[in-house]
Amino acid sequence: MAIDLTITRHCVVSDPVTQLSPLQQALLDDFRRVRIASAPTGAGKSYAFLRAVAQREQRVLFVVPTRRLAQNLAAGFINDLVRQQGWSSDQAEAKVAVWSSDQTIELRARQVEHIGGYRLRQLQALDDTREGGEIIFAIPEVVSHLLLQRRIETGQSGLGIFDVLNAFDHLVFDEFHTIEARGFGLAALCARLASVPFGRAKVSFLSATPLAIRPVLERLGVAAADIAELEEAVSDTGRPLHGDVVLGLSEAPSLAALVAEQQTAVTTEIAAGRQVVLIYNALADLRRELPALAALAAAAGIARDRVLVINSIDDSRREGGTGLGFHVGRKQNPDDFSLLIATASVEMGVTFRAANLLFMEPGFSPLGFLQRYGRAARRGADGQVWVRADEAMWKRQPWIRELWTWAMERQGQRAGFTELTDFLSREAREHFKAGDPEQSRYFGQLPNRAVFTTGLYWNALLRHESNKGPRREHLLQHQPASARTIYKYLRAVRQMEQERIYKTSAKAWCDRFEKLA
């Protein structure tokens, strides 16, 4: 049985002079040092920082959860600087950098010996010989390593968190809903120090499906008056985000079978020069269905070298193939392919050039569903999103059955994007906000454990050799209560190192615990 309804075209209002939406303008101009920003996929949250770089000559550190997303955003940013802002290609490429393990390999190939020192010199200037701002796209592991590495490398000169807050006008944590409690220390540290205030950086958290992180930030000492909660409202007129999207729900036995049912639509999209995207829940299912998908691709006129397979395992390779002639590897640009076959790794902000037909499994949460749905029909284009789920999924995740019921009640009708979003966030809103429609829409809450993992991270920064003298005093003065608590408990356990029986095990346990930072 198939169900379909239309999620109607939606837009955001833009200022006729600046061409910025209210949220984009606030990300640039709001005086508060910590911002939590929510906007639908495709709303242009990152575009505000393009304007900051191109027109205000500001410096931005843009932290994203994955290497692929960093590469995707950097390539798009360079392209927009050239096409929209009139920069030369050389200037745009000189003003955009990527900090990731891929870039580390490239630097070593260029015989750069001290990677940490090289990156920290970039804090001082990417290219100060040309006008315009600069931006660095980084994954959090690289930034954290620069702040916590055990020895200061040649050329580093003791640079650390204070230099980051001084060197950049904006410090951005994109897709912040992906940050787990144990990894929140870096983001919370920056927010707390920026709110003191210290340095010039404003800290922004961006997501289309945000978590409620304000309670954790306040427990860590960020004053309520220093936090701006920003939400982009959608409207019927203005700059279009998505066109009319037919949302179809199917109980097909597999995603390949669902694609076969829509073979005509696939052929039409490919003939028009657009992409088709498939998103699986499980990598095992994706791999099992690759031979069937190869046959379907051939029937739609897609050459095998025009197919890219995207997942965390295959992306660990820089390039290569699947054995069926499909491409894999994190160095591949999704824009160069006609058919993308992916897992959940594409949920985190990766954009596609012209994907108006999307086949997907529903993901593991309403949050994941909305992230996947938002990959299709961007910039006002009309499109189709087909979702496959079976009885086993309904049993494991009751929200999927509820989505089926919601869609069945609207069979053949038109529903607004806000109506879909409100439905998917309903449970979280009722739990966290008592269903108050005037409150910001959240899709979950950061666990309280993040307060204490931040305390552990803070202790690690206090011990680092780059934070001596006044820097250490500043960290001590503004440390959250959880940092003092962690220090007290660790000191108590370390006292066991004085006992002959417990000495070895107590030291090993404490050392391992502190390394969690």
Side-chain angles (χ1 to χ4, degrees), residues 131-169:
E131 294 182 356
E134 296 100 11
I135 187 167
I136 296 174
F137 292 97
I139 59 173
E141 291 86 351
V142 169
V143 178
S144 188
H145 175 71
L146 290 174
L147 300 180
L148 290 177
Q149 56 188 341
R150 288 192 172 276
R151 62 185 180 86
I152 296 178
E153 296 182 352
T154 302
Q156 184 173 332
S157 302
L159 295 174
I161 184 60
F162 295 98
D163 302 278
V164 171
L165 293 170
N166 270 323
F168 294 97
D169 298 280

Side-chain angles (χ1 to χ4, degrees), residues 289-423:
E289 294 190 5
L290 282 178
L293 294 175
L296 291 168
I302 306 172
R304 293 195 180 189
D305 63 358
R306 298 286 297 165
V307 180
L308 176 65
V309 178
I310 304 173
N311 60 80
S312 58
I313 302 299
D314 289 323
D315 277 1
S316 64
R317 293 185 277 171
R318 290 170 60 81
E319 55 189 358
T322 63
L324 292 169
F326 297 164
H327 284 280
V328 299
R330 61 182 180 274
K331 294 296 288 184
Q332 303 289 352
N333 183 355
D335 289 352
D336 296 335
F337 298 87
S338 299
L339 177 62
L340 307 176
I341 306 171
T343 56
S345 59
V346 299
E347 289 177 7
M348 292 183 282
V350 176
T351 57
F352 310 126
R353 58 175 170 82
N356 296 340
L357 178 58
L358 168 65
F359 298 91
M360 58 182 263
E361 293 178 321
F364 307 101
S365 68
L367 178 153
F369 179 93
L370 199 60
Q371 288 282 345
R372 294 185 184 191
Y373 169 89
R375 300 303 106 204
R378 306 287 282 266
R379 301 178 182 86
D382 295 339
Q384 301 177 60
V385 175
W386 282 94
V387 184
R388 185 200 84 84
D390 52 32
E391 189 171 353
M393 293 181 187
W394 293 345
K395 289 180 178 179
R396 289 194 301 269
Q397 302 179 79
W399 69 268
I400 299 177
R401 183 181 291 277
E402 293 170 4
L403 175 62
W404 245 247
T405 301
W406 180 88
M408 191 177 300
E409 292 170 352
R410 294 159 179 79
Q411 167 74 10
Q413 301 177 22
R414 295 169 66 82
F417 177 77
T418 300
E419 187 178 353
L420 173 64
T421 306
D422 284 344
F423 170 77

